[in-house]
Amino acid sequence: MISYFQSIVIGLLQGVTELFPVSSLGHNVLLPALIGGSWASDLNVAAPESPYLAFIVGLHVATAAALLIFFWRDWVRIITGFYTSIRYRRVQTANERLAWIIVLATIPVGVAGLVLEHTFRTTLGRPVPAAVFLTINGAVLYGAERLRRRDANSRPRRPALVQRSAGGAVFASSTAGSTAGPGPSGPPLAIEAEDDPAGSDDRIAGRPYRETTLIGAAQVLALLPGISRSGITMATGLLRGLSHEDAARFSFLLATPVILAAGVLKLPDLAGPLGAGIHGQVLVGSLASGICAYVAVRFLTKYFETRTLTPFAIYCTVAGLASLVWLGIR
């Protein structure tokens, strides 16, 4: 059984750690193990038929709902762009391009999740592997920051000259020295300047498909407990030249359909034997998770306008190593 107190604690933890680059699954595995007692015995994601896992993934729906609420204007543009792209058989506007970017970038993790999730969870969803991967997550975040800083210092930045047509298509002047790939037709689509008034979504839409798909494919590593979905996509985005603000925003947009799909796929489990006796706990935990997720994404979108991943890298490294020590001496 999952108590109401446990459901509130896990709900709060899920809402924060799903969006902070610190791994929600890693924390959901480690916290019960570190507390011990009934927490460790009842809250076990590695069990083949785990009510705790069904509970956690059920909370994903609340987390995805918080993301949809916060980014509702973006999703209206993205869905509209997808509709017009299908209807007119074109990929011309920034919104149409962004819609296909998200679709293509989501396919790798969707396929990997269906094929590998059960194997990874039952074999690696234990405290010691979670602590190891959390430590690795910290090293990845720190390494991405160092590599990006070294790359930024080694070459001068040349902002792109961005133009927007009357139809909403976004183009970059060839004199700007942009590295983005060609658009579906005409001049290359590219938006590099962080101060471009078209905004973060348009800058993301200006990236080549191969880059954005690579960033999305990095989410596959988040199947490992301790590797953060938002952290690994942000780190990959930084290494591909995105700013912290754009990398964070793209990470949240990519996470929304994945988190929502994972939650929806597990909802039938909550209606069956795995959900027996915990429907009230799921509702309470979902409320806590949704509120925390909304506050977290609101904070992080502002935070990454001026700050870096380094504090989260330090936290993950320290928390992972400390967990290994604690688990080793118990």
Side-chain angles (χ1 to χ4, degrees):
M1 288 295 294
I2 301 173
S3 70
Y4 278 94
F5 176 70
Q6 290 172 333
S7 69
I8 293 173
V9 172
I10 299 300
L12 296 173
L13 186 70
Q14 169 68 27
V16 172
T17 57
E18 182 66 50
L19 302 181
F20 276 66
V22 297
S23 176
S24 62
L25 181 56
H27 281 74
N28 287 330
V29 171
L30 283 172
L31 181 64
L34 296 175
I35 294 176
S38 62
W39 285 70
S41 59
D42 295 341
L43 309 183
N44 179 13
V45 302
E49 296 294 331
S50 173
Y52 179 48
L53 177 67
F55 169 79
I56 290 174
V57 182
L59 302 184
H60 280 56
V61 176
T63 306
L67 287 171
L68 287 172
I69 292 171
F70 186 83
F71 290 110
W72 71 269
R73 292 182 181 85
D74 302 76
W75 282 107
V76 167
R77 291 195 297 268
I78 291 168
I79 293 172
T80 301
F82 184 75
Y83 170 76
T84 57
S85 177
I86 295 294
R87 180 179 180 182
Y88 299 112
R89 299 181 182 181
R90 70 185 191 193
V91 184
Q92 293 180 355
T93 70
N95 293 335
E96 291 169 351
R97 185 175 172 85
L98 182 58
W100 283 107
I101 280 175
I102 291 176
V103 169
L104 295 174
T106 304
I107 291 174
V109 67
V111 173
L114 291 174
V115 175
L116 300 174
E117 184 274 335
H118 179 79
T119 301
F120 280 12
R121 175 175 56 83
T122 54
T123 57
L124 299 174
R126 305 176 189 279
V128 171
V132 171
F133 285 122
L134 185 63
T135 306
I136 293 173
N137 187 71
V140 170
L141 299 184
Y142 184 72
E145 286 290 353
R146 289 297 298 259
L147 289 173
R148 183 181 188 277
R149 188 178 306 169
R150 186 181 67 180
D151 184 61
N153 292 335
S154 64
R155 57 186 175 86
R157 179 184 172 193
R158 292 189 295 170
L161 304 178
V162 180
Q163 299 175 347
R164 177 179 289 272
S165 71
V170 180
F171 304 103
S173 168
S174 59
T175 62
S178 170
T179 60
S185 62
L189 280 164
I191 301 177
E192 296 284 337
E194 293 180 20
D195 56 352
D196 167 53
S200 179
D201 287 354
D202 286 349
R203 291 194 295 272
I204 295 168
R207 309 299 297 190
Y209 286 120
R210 62 181 179 275
E211 285 192 1
T212 53
T213 302
L214 175 64
I215 295 171
Q219 295 181 97
V220 173
L221 295 176
L223 294 173
L224 303 171
I227 301 298
S228 165
R229 183 190 313 279
S230 61
I232 198 69
T233 50
M234 281 195 64
T236 308
L238 292 178
L239 294 177
R240 301 310 303 173
L242 293 181
S243 68
H244 288 85
E245 178 185 1
D246 291 352
R249 192 176 189 86
F250 190 36
S251 172
F252 296 143
L253 290 176
L254 285 175
T256 304
V258 177
I259 297 173
L260 182 61
V264 170
L265 286 175
K266 284 293 180 179
L267 284 181
D269 289 347
L270 292 175
L274 294 181
I278 62 171
H279 292 162
Q281 291 91 320
V282 171
L283 291 176
V284 171
S286 296
L287 181 62
S289 180
I291 292 173
C292 274
Y294 185 86
V295 174
V297 70
R298 187 179 184 90
F299 168 78
L300 290 172
T301 51
K302 292 294 184 182
Y303 174 90
F304 284 117
E305 289 178 359
T306 56
R307 306 293 293 277
T308 71
L309 288 167
T310 302
F312 303 106
I314 296 172
Y315 165 78
C316 289
T317 304
V318 172
L321 293 176
S323 297
L324 284 173
V325 172
W326 179 254
L327 293 169
I329 64 177
R330 287 186 61 179

